[in-house]
Amino acid sequence: MVPPVGAGTPGRTRLTVALGLRLSAAVAVSGPMGTGRLAPWLLAAREAALVALTGLALGWAISFLFLISGGVPGMGAANAVRGGVVLFLMFHHVGMQAASGALLLPHGAEAALGLPSGVPVDATVAFAFLGGTALMMWRLASAGRAVAESTGGRPRDRGLSGARIAVPYALITFVTGWSVSTVVRFPQTSPVAVHPSHAASLLWPLALGAIAGYFGGVRSGPEGAWGSEWWEADEWARRWRAATAGTVRALLVGMALSVVGFLVVAAVRPGTSVRFVGDGLSGGPVAGLGVAILAVLALPNLALWIMAPAFGACVQISSGFGFTPGPYCFLDYRHAPSHPLAARDYYWGLPKLGPPPASFWLFLLVPLAAALVGVLHGLRVGRVRTRREGALVGVLTGAVFIALFLVALLLSTVTVRLGGPIASANTGYFRYGPQPFDAIEFGTVWVVAGGLILGWLTGRRAERAPATTQAARGP
């Protein structure tokens, strides 16, 4: 016999009511079919799609400028759409597999790059427009912050929640990459069949999305990254915050001064500058606008390629095949492309280069100003009180600068991995740009050493200030 509703012992009734309340609460939190657990992933998928649409919209806008202007003959609307996707993927350093029946580049650039002219080529070219990369990282960090705000929790939990954005974002870029397989025909170049590296279209966005999403999630807390319970004491949070602020200031100052220096050099060499501007505008004003946008997106690359030799590094061509010749350095304080010599490099067949003009030594102001402004800004943010603390914050600023400079140089380099008739071995590569690990050596010379000295002096002045104040007050 089934007892009537409400029958039974009082204890059993209370237990039934309690279990019912807990079940109702669980259903209210999780929702039907576990919607609560899926909610952060659904939000991450939506945010990832919005970030991808931002990058695709920028790529399509540039590509359609070339279509409207007729700057690329025979482009067509379908190829314009594919070109926008290619640019979007290049914002993430995704390598493009390119094949051409006879390699030809404008102004014979293939010879200057150490590549044979008119030879069939099958290569994977990896290059990132760092302006686009910075835009995507900023949008991914904002998306990670939105996801983390929906879940809450401690900084670590918020960071991991924000990093969810990487999974749907990488899947979007991976699927998008399969839609691209086209033939690109630029003026003064051979037709090139292009499609993205499918592994890179998954792995690079996954890594960039995880990093940006994690930091966006950590910053989503009510006290941000520096005021949370991560830090046992306020001193270390203050010191690392100072080091980070000083690093960002040093890098931005160095890049800005490098671009200014480049513009000054361009102004005093009007013939070369006019030729390159004329090439950019050869497709008409609309295509010229597209070239100008691409130039702005590549401006961080240019700044880093000038900043590195200003610090003392070398912009070079290096390779790795069955044999590995030494790098061909074409820009530092001892070599300049504007000073070719009659002799030829034994391995590369390119002209040996003489030193740049004496005015190039003015670029020493770039590392000097970057280290000085960046370290002093970090010390001011850190509010150092003693010589020991000042030296510590200065060295920490140098260490963070080395790490960030190293990553920036890695992303700025252009790599060409060859296969087929052009290669002298089954596998090999060319790398163009600064040697990334020079960031360790020259960051130590300029920023770590400068930070140690400036930090010690600043801390010493802070120690003397209370004594001076007390002496002024008198006994």
Side-chain angles (χ1 to χ4, degrees), residues 131 170 184 217 282 341:
V184 179
S282 61
L341 304 176

Side-chain angles (χ1 to χ4, degrees), residues 184-201:
V184 179
R185 295 180 176 87
F186 288 109
Q188 304 180 44
T189 64
S190 56
V192 180
V194 176
H195 69 86
S197 168
H198 299 302
S201 65

Side-chain angles (χ1 to χ4, degrees), residues 54-91 129 180 182-187 194 283 285-295 297:
T54 301
L56 285 168
L58 178 58
W60 284 330
I62 298 170
S63 188
F64 272 88
L65 286 174
F66 289 103
L67 173 65
I68 295 170
S69 66
V72 180
M75 187 174 189
N79 280 336
V81 172
R82 297 187 188 101
V85 175
V86 168
L87 288 173
F88 166 66
L89 294 175
M90 290 178 69
F91 296 160
F129 286 99
V180 177
T182 185
V183 176
V184 179
R185 295 180 176 87
F186 288 109
V194 176
V286 178
L289 177 60
V291 172
I293 297 174
L294 289 176
L297 294 175

